[in-house]
């Protein structure tokens, strides 16, 4: 059985204008609907993993689906919301008038999520069920590629290692 975790391609969505806490949800919604900017070339190991896979799994976010499309996979495709990047909590305790660049908000909110501030979002502990679903795909198909999301791919890789899987490379958070 083989499994590869690939991060989606770079997004077209680029907005560095500082926003308030109240605007973060709308910014995230636009980010999640954004498509990708296609690269001219892709790493050979990425192309090889996709070419050799029996199944390509993506989240239901446009950036993951489009990334799988540009890799020209002839494999079966499974789109599942379970493989989305975990939602970010927007805590009430941030001052409403503070304006930060979206990238700063993302780092800050993801850091809070990692330490357990979830405010109604999926928790870090729930990433184990995602890894279990990928394992079931691998057992059924033999080889699986997940075109997913940076932080979540790293969490899935950690869960897979706990379940005895060996990783050739540490999942990258870059595109």
């Amino acid at each position: 059985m083989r499994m590869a975790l690939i991060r989606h391609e770079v997004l077209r969505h680029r907005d560095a204008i500082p926003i308030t806490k109240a605007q973060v949800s709308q910014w995230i919604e636009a980010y999640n609907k954004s498509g990708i900017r296609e690269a001219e070339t892709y790493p050979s190991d990425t192309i090889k993993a996709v070419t050799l896979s029996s199944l390509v799994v993506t989240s239901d976010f446009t950036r993951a689906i489009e990334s799988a499309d540009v890799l020209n996979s002839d494999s079966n495709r499974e789109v599942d919301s379970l493989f989305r990047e975990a939602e970010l909590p927007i805590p009430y305790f941030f001052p409403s008038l503070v304006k930060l660049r979206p990238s700063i908000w993302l780092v800050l909110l993801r850091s809070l999520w990692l330490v357990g501030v979830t405010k109604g979002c999926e928790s870090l502990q729930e990433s184990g069920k995602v890894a279990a679903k990928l394992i079931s795909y691998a057992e059924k198909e033999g080889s699986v590629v997940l075109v997913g999301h940076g932080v979540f791919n790293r969490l899935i890789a950690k869960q897979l290692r706990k379940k005895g899987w060996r990783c050739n490379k540490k999942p990258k958070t870059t595109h």
Side-chain angles (χ1 to χ4, degrees), residues 16 43 71 143:
L71 292 170
S143 60

Side-chain angles (χ1 to χ4, degrees), residues 67-84:
S67 295
D69 288 345
V70 299
L71 292 170
N72 295 323
S73 167
D74 290 329
S75 303
N76 293 328
R77 181 86 55 91
E78 181 76 29
V79 177
D80 191 331
S81 63
L82 181 66
F83 299 103
R84 285 181 170 192

Side-chain angles (χ1 to χ4, degrees), residues 21-83:
K21 174 179 76 171
Q23 296 168 311
V24 170
S25 293
Q26 292 135 353
W27 186 91
I28 290 172
E29 185 177 329
Y31 179 85
N32 286 340
K33 290 179 180 176
S34 180
I36 62 167
R37 289 187 279 149
E38 287 187 40
E40 291 183 24
T41 61
Y42 297 94
S44 59
D45 56 340
T46 299
I47 299 298
K48 182 179 178 183
V50 172
T51 302
L52 296 176
S53 70
S54 301
L55 177 67
V56 174
V57 180
T58 72
S59 78
D60 59 344
F61 285 151
T62 304
R63 60 188 180 268
I65 295 167
E66 286 183 1
S67 295
D69 288 345
V70 299
L71 292 170
N72 295 323
S73 167
D74 290 329
S75 303
N76 293 328
R77 181 86 55 91
E78 181 76 29
V79 177
D80 191 331
S81 63
L82 181 66
F83 299 103

Side-chain angles (χ1 to χ4, degrees), residues 9-17 27 31 34-35 37 102-103 175:
E9 189 53 65
V10 177
L11 298 181
R12 286 190 307 258
H13 184 77
R14 289 283 181 226
D15 191 356
I17 298 168
W27 186 91
Y31 179 85
S34 180
R37 289 187 279 149
S103 60
H175 301 278

Side-chain angles (χ1 to χ4, degrees), residues 80-172:
D80 191 331
S81 63
L82 181 66
F83 299 103
R84 285 181 170 192
E85 187 82 80
E87 288 182 66
L88 294 169
I90 315 270
Y92 66 89
F93 54 80
F94 277 101
S96 297
L97 298 177
V98 171
K99 284 189 167 192
L100 301 171
R101 288 192 339 257
S103 60
I104 302 298
W105 277 113
L106 293 178
V107 169
L108 185 62
L109 297 175
R110 182 60 67 208
S111 298
L112 287 170
W113 182 82
L114 287 168
V115 298
V117 178
T118 58
K119 193 180 177 244
C121 299
E122 176 183 32
S123 71
L124 177 62
Q125 291 73 29
E126 293 177 58
S127 64
K129 70 181 175 189
V130 177
K133 179 121 184 206
L134 271 180
I135 291 169
S136 73
Y137 281 140
E139 289 170 345
K140 181 179 173 189
E141 300 290 338
S143 60
V144 176
V145 168
L146 170 65
V147 180
H149 307 278
V151 172
F152 214 55
N153 280 1
R154 290 181 82 127
L155 295 172
I156 291 167
K158 185 177 179 179
Q159 291 296 325
L160 290 170
R161 283 191 297 275
K162 283 182 181 179
K163 295 178 183 296
W165 284 72
R166 288 183 299 126
C167 297
N168 293 339
K169 296 180 181 179
K170 187 175 183 179
K172 296 178 181 178

